[in-house]
Amino acid sequence: MKYKLITIAIFILLAAPATSLAWGATGHKIIADIAFFYLDAQTRKNVLEYLNGMSLEEAANWMDQVRGDPAYDYMRPWHYADFDRGRPATAVTGDNIIGILSATMRKLEIQGQLSREQIRTDLLYLLHLVGDLHQPLHVGYADDRGGNEYPVSFRGKGSNLHKVWDSEIIDDRQPGIQEILSARPINAQQAASIQQIDIVAWANESRGYLDLVYSVKSHSADEAYIEAVYPVIKKQLLYSGLRLAAILQKYFSRMPSVPGPAAVSSSVTITPLEASGHVGETLTVCGKVFGGKYLENSNGAPTLINMGADYPDNPFTVVIYGSDRGGFTYQPENYLPGKTICVTGQIKRFKGKPEIVVTSQDQIRLK
């Protein structure tokens, strides 16, 4: 019997996918629909203008849909934040769901300096990540990768706890927006309280359900378990939609339906540490230069300027290829170290680290 149980457990573990998507397509659609239910007409119109023909369901699931494209690999850690067991979520920064959501909202505070495309991209982040934050296992534990490595069976098939919460219970029960809304009627006063924007508080609220999440017995998400957790899943979908509405209302209600000419996005200034959250955008990165090196014999003969810290701990790199060095009146690797500079250009990622490739001395100015 013991051998049989071990064999079943191994089968379940092998059958379970390595990574699951938060709430699944159905859950994210429900959250977006609830948010739109609570928005005023002008905010709905503004949001749809920025989506530019993309459906609300497509927009809410975009961050999951692009996971198969290596060009978007940098976004993989944005969907979650792990914290030790028994410890609360905190205002962490960087490439995690709390850091990215916080950075996105800070950026939208200066939306007049952003291009239309940047605002659209930030909107896609909000539509998805607010939902992810309300799935408890997206602010779970690192030791089992948010339940991805916690094997369970569901309806007789091998799965994992993360997938069960993301999609399998929702797809099994097929809740509609009316079921979600009617299951927990919310009056105006309650809605105002729920919608107070506090990313860390929302994360800790989600973590408060982890004991229930892990109450699955004998690694089997049976009917009794589903009955116990389904009300919480519906509550989290509702609260996520309410809170997404609050964020959209804050940042999009007063925006014109068709914005005027986009402001120059490079006027937005960030630090080297923040650059990781802005890959693909054209911004200005300001910080101290800690070192530099001219790799004359390497492919492309690049000059690498390390900002924010010395190599290999620098969070950001300025790259000047050999073909562009001739346009400089100084040797960057010798002149810039120790100085504080601002560099403007499109932020890209190379081997996990953000960088700007500079082709002209005008892109760098001393501060």
Side-chain angles (χ1 to χ4, degrees):
M1 177 62 71
K2 183 177 180 181
Y3 174 81
K4 183 177 180 181
L5 290 174
I6 292 173
T7 302
I8 292 172
I10 292 173
F11 169 76
I12 292 172
L13 180 59
L14 293 176
T19 303
S20 302
L21 308 179
W23 288 133
T26 302
H28 279 293
K29 179 183 185 301
I30 289 172
I31 291 166
D33 285 342
I34 291 172
F36 257 52
F37 177 83
Y38 282 96
L39 291 179
D40 63 40
Q42 185 61 53
T43 305
R44 291 177 192 161
K45 183 178 180 181
N46 292 343
V47 168
L48 292 174
E49 289 275 0
Y50 275 109
L51 292 181
N52 192 29
M54 180 183 283
S55 73
L56 191 60
E57 180 178 1
E58 291 171 329
N61 284 286
W62 175 79
M63 288 190 71
D64 280 344
Q65 295 302 316
V66 299
R67 282 193 174 193
D69 186 342
Y72 294 97
D73 281 352
Y74 64 89
M75 294 196 308
R76 285 183 174 272
W78 292 11
H79 296 256
Y80 62 91
D82 294 323
F83 298 91
D84 292 339
R85 295 174 186 266
R87 303 295 291 271
T90 57
V92 289
T93 59
D95 288 355
N96 61 78
I97 191 168
I98 294 175
I100 295 300
L101 274 173
S102 300
T104 299
M105 290 191 292
R106 283 199 307 271
K107 188 166 35 152
L108 287 171
E109 294 284 355
I110 53 170
Q111 58 193 247
Q113 300 179 38
L114 304 176
S115 69
R116 186 186 183 103
E117 186 58 33
Q118 285 175 318
I119 294 173
R120 180 179 185 271
T121 300
D122 288 337
L123 172 59
L124 293 174
Y125 297 160
L126 294 176
L127 287 169
H128 188 85
L129 293 180
V130 173
D132 281 3
L133 189 70
H134 287 75
Q135 206 275 53
L137 289 166
H138 277 256
V139 282
Y141 312 129
D143 55 23
D144 66 0
R145 295 179 56 243
N148 276 292
E149 295 178 0
Y150 192 97
V152 299
S153 64
F154 183 84
R155 301 302 189 201
K157 296 181 179 180
S159 186
N160 63 62
L161 195 58
H162 194 111
K163 185 178 180 182
V164 166
W165 270 75
D166 273 356
S167 58
E168 289 185 329
I169 292 177
I170 293 174
D171 290 343
D172 183 74
R173 292 301 177 96
Q174 288 291 312
I177 182 173
Q178 289 304 320
E179 178 184 346
I180 301 295
L181 293 172
S182 62
R184 188 181 293 265
I186 302 292
N187 61 38
Q189 184 176 359
Q190 291 170 323
S193 176
I194 294 168
Q195 291 179 308
Q196 292 293 316
I197 298 174
D198 189 331
I199 299 301
V200 175
W202 298 348
N204 278 308
E205 184 180 87
S206 293
R207 282 177 65 80
Y209 293 112
L210 286 173
D211 285 347
L212 176 64
V213 172
Y214 283 91
S215 67
V216 58
K217 295 179 180 179
S218 302
H219 290 269
S220 175
D222 57 16
E223 192 64 32
Y225 178 79
I226 296 170
E227 287 292 330
V229 304
Y230 186 50
V232 172
I233 289 175
K234 290 193 291 184
K235 173 181 177 290
Q236 289 300 92
L237 292 173
L238 173 62
Y239 278 32
S240 181
L242 279 164
R243 288 162 174 169
L244 175 59
I247 291 174
L248 296 178
Q249 199 75 40
K250 177 177 180 178
Y251 294 109
F252 291 88
S253 62
R254 293 183 176 85
M255 297 178 65
S257 298
V258 182
V264 178
S265 60
S266 60
S267 62
V268 179
T269 300
I270 61 174
T271 68
L273 279 171
E274 294 174 318
S276 184
H278 298 276
V279 173
E281 300 174 25
T282 300
L283 301 175
T284 297
V285 180
C286 293
K288 184 178 178 181
V289 175
F290 282 77
K293 192 169 185 178
Y294 177 30
L295 304 178
E296 187 174 5
N297 296 318
S298 297
N299 184 32
T303 301
L304 306 180
I305 305 299
N306 307 316
M307 292 179 65
D310 206 354
Y311 180 84
D313 299 319
N314 57 304
F316 180 77
T317 307
V318 177
V319 181
I320 307 164
Y321 285 107
S323 57
D324 299 309
R325 269 180 70 96
F328 282 74
T329 59
Y330 54 80
Q331 294 181 329
E333 71 279 11
N334 296 324
Y335 179 71
L336 294 177
K339 295 180 172 61
T340 298
I341 66 171
C342 291
V343 57
T344 299
Q346 185 181 41
I347 300 173
K348 301 180 180 179
R349 192 182 297 271
F350 180 73
K351 293 186 176 180
K353 185 172 292 187
E355 64 178 29
I356 288 178
V357 176
V358 169
T359 59
S360 168
Q361 183 174 316
D362 293 339
Q363 288 178 253
I364 300 176
R365 62 179 175 85
L366 300 182
K367 191 173 180 182

